[in-house]
Amino acid sequence: MRTLTSIEELDFAAAMPTVVVKKTSDHVLLEETLAGDEDAFAELVRRYRNQITSYIYRMTNDYDGAVDLAQETFLRVYRAAGRYQTTHAFSTYIYRIATKLAISELRKRKRRRLVSLTGLLSSQEGQEARDFDAPDDKPLQDVSLVDSEKRAVVKRAISTLPDKYRAPLVLRDVEGKSYDEIAAILCTSEGTVKSRINRARNFLRDKMRNYIQVAP
């Protein structure tokens, strides 16, 4: 199996229209990839590229960055194909890699913001430190937001969740994963997954209370 530096090297645009999609399992496709069949890996990418990109985008709220991280996800799958174990579904395996990359990116952003904020506040002599980008507690004048505005509010609210709550919430409520799948992806227990999802939903409900009318 040759070394790839980019999944684009597989030339999907040229190859995919002529590939006959077979009812082949993900495990078999990965085995064929190890045997040097690049069409097999192209099929894995075709199956998961959109959902992995969408998932990372929901996690990071950055589409261009999500495209890059999705590509890195597939590169890691390709390079580590020989170490893959079939004890879990391939979807669990690839979502686990994507989650680690997304959380790593979020933590890098947090460190950059902290450095930037520290520099900003320390340069303002004589001024009391204050919260950066403090939330506006005033309700919007138009309570009945249109769907697109509601989605934007939900997206912004999700982006404020701590990492350990954001991942299980997105996996459950956006990706539609089962609790046992999420537990396998995050390497934790189902009880922990359910607890974190419940806390995340409560957090979002509080964050969105001033934007969307909540039924009594």
Side-chain angles (χ1 to χ4, degrees):
M1 186 174 73
R2 70 185 181 88
T3 301
L4 292 183
T5 57
S6 168
I7 59 173
E8 302 300 337
E9 289 183 17
L10 292 174
D11 193 16
F12 297 127
M16 287 180 62
T18 60
V19 173
V20 176
V21 179
K22 300 178 293 183
K23 296 293 185 180
T24 306
S25 72
D26 295 337
H27 294 325
V28 171
L29 288 173
L30 205 56
E31 290 174 359
E32 292 175 351
T33 298
L34 276 170
D37 186 349
E38 292 183 351
D39 283 343
F41 188 69
E43 171 61 14
L44 279 174
V45 174
R46 187 197 67 79
R47 290 182 183 183
Y48 288 97
R49 193 175 202 174
N50 287 344
Q51 54 187 294
I52 291 299
T53 302
S54 176
Y55 169 58
I56 296 175
Y57 171 59
R58 296 294 185 182
M59 285 285 291
T60 63
N61 201 24
D62 175 5
Y63 181 75
D64 290 338
V67 171
D68 291 339
L69 289 178
Q71 173 165 298
E72 177 62 25
T73 298
F74 286 106
L75 284 174
R76 293 194 179 193
V77 169
Y78 187 88
R79 292 167 181 165
R83 299 196 298 272
Y84 172 68
Q85 298 179 351
T86 59
T87 51
H88 290 297
F90 178 78
S91 59
T92 297
Y93 177 65
I94 195 169
Y95 267 91
R96 184 180 296 168
I97 294 173
T99 300
K100 289 179 179 179
L101 287 172
I103 290 177
S104 177
E105 173 60 24
L106 291 172
R107 290 174 178 171
K108 288 177 184 176
R109 287 187 196 173
K110 185 176 181 180
R111 286 194 294 269
R112 289 195 293 266
R113 283 198 300 269
L114 287 174
V115 171
S116 177
L117 181 58
T118 300
L120 176 65
L121 295 181
S122 63
S123 66
Q124 298 177 343
E125 297 181 2
Q127 294 187 16
E128 184 179 353
R130 58 182 177 83
D131 289 336
F132 197 63
D133 284 337
D136 184 358
D137 292 330
K138 295 182 295 183
L140 297 180
Q141 292 181 352
D142 183 6
V143 179
S144 57
L145 299 174
V146 296
D147 288 344
S148 61
E149 292 174 321
K150 287 183 179 180
R151 287 194 295 269
V153 170
V154 171
K155 187 167 66 174
R156 288 197 299 271
I158 289 176
S159 71
T160 66
L161 287 171
D163 303 342
K164 67 178 182 179
Y165 300 133
R166 190 184 312 191
L169 180 80
V170 173
L171 286 167
R172 178 64 179 175
D173 290 349
V174 179
E175 298 296 311
K177 299 293 184 183
S178 65
Y179 290 117
D180 61 322
E181 286 178 306
I182 298 169
I185 290 169
L186 301 180
C187 300
T188 189
S189 68
E190 286 189 43
T192 297
V193 166
K194 292 178 180 179
S195 174
R196 289 179 179 178
I197 290 173
N198 184 58
R199 291 185 182 184
R201 288 171 177 166
N202 289 335
F203 183 89
L204 288 185
R205 190 174 294 113
D206 291 340
K207 292 286 289 185
M208 296 166 60
R209 195 179 302 278
N210 292 321
Y211 297 95
I212 298 177
Q213 188 174 14
V214 180

